[in-house]
Amino acid sequence: MDPGDAKPGPPEAPSGNLKQPKTATALPSSGSSLIIGALACFIIAQANESFITITILEIFIVLFFILIYMLTLHHLLTYLHWPLLDLTNSIITAVFLSVVAILAMQEKERRHLFYVGGSLCLTAVIVCCIDAFVVTKMMRTNLKRFLGIEFESKLSPAKDAYPETGPDAPQRPA
């Protein structure tokens, strides 16, 4: 087969399996949809401008990170430590949105859409905290790998509960 006739496609590993690219987690995109929902609730309920401004700012920051990762510009901008920047963004977003959520949920008696927008912001805070945890765990794993420290990654807590049911388990006689 001539190399020029090969169809362009996804890269293959030596074993024939497709290589999985190392990408960011899907948490920012789910967080942005929650924030967009909260923004819609705040606009319809004619909320204070600060609620709308903070949610619009957070939407643009999340879209900026998604655009950077999709265009793989983070590989070109090597002077920035992107996981640390992502962690800082998650923490700051969680703080701002928790303040917005607390203030908006106090308006439950007057406007129900404030409460819905506040609960969406609170859910986005939870997603940001999960994202911060995942990024921190990834950074620790990469640091341990860089330093050459032996580490054991638990893939499944169920593996410890049932040690006899795994690919490495001894076979029972028939």
Side-chain angles (χ1 to χ4, degrees):
M1 179 175 183
D2 187 34
D5 295 334
K7 295 179 184 176
E12 291 191 14
S15 64
N17 296 331
L18 294 178
K19 289 183 182 178
Q20 296 296 325
K22 292 182 180 180
T23 58
T25 60
L27 295 176
S29 61
S30 62
S32 65
S33 61
L34 291 169
I35 299 171
I36 289 172
L39 176 67
C41 290
F42 291 149
I43 289 174
I44 292 170
Q46 298 174 349
N48 191 359
E49 292 86 15
S50 61
F51 293 161
I52 296 172
T53 305
I54 290 174
T55 52
I56 288 175
L57 176 71
E58 294 302 330
I59 288 170
F60 280 126
I61 291 172
V62 168
L63 290 178
F64 170 74
F65 273 98
I66 290 173
L67 186 67
I68 290 291
Y69 286 129
M70 282 179 56
L71 297 175
T72 64
L73 293 177
H74 61 284
H75 293 300
L76 296 176
L77 303 171
T78 57
Y79 50 87
L80 293 174
H81 191 255
W82 286 98
L84 187 61
L85 196 61
D86 195 17
L87 177 67
T88 306
N89 175 47
S90 295
I91 292 171
I92 291 171
T93 300
V95 169
F96 279 140
L97 289 181
S98 62
V99 169
V100 169
I102 290 170
L103 293 176
M105 291 175 77
Q106 290 177 353
E107 300 283 333
K108 181 180 179 182
E109 291 77 28
R110 293 192 337 193
R111 297 183 200 157
H112 295 291
L113 280 178
F114 269 5
Y115 187 75
V116 173
S119 62
L120 287 174
C121 283
L122 193 60
T123 308
V125 167
I126 293 170
V127 169
C128 286
C129 290
I130 292 171
D131 182 46
F133 175 75
V134 169
V135 169
T136 303
K137 185 169 180 145
M138 183 183 65
M139 285 174 49
R140 285 189 322 205
T141 304
N142 289 341
L143 182 65
K144 287 180 182 179
R145 186 176 297 131
F146 176 74
L147 294 175
I149 299 172
E150 294 293 325
F151 64 94
E152 182 178 321
S153 177
K154 288 187 178 180
L155 298 176
S156 172
K159 188 175 181 182
D160 294 336
Y162 303 104
E164 68 275 353
T165 59
D168 301 330
Q171 299 295 327
R172 295 184 196 170

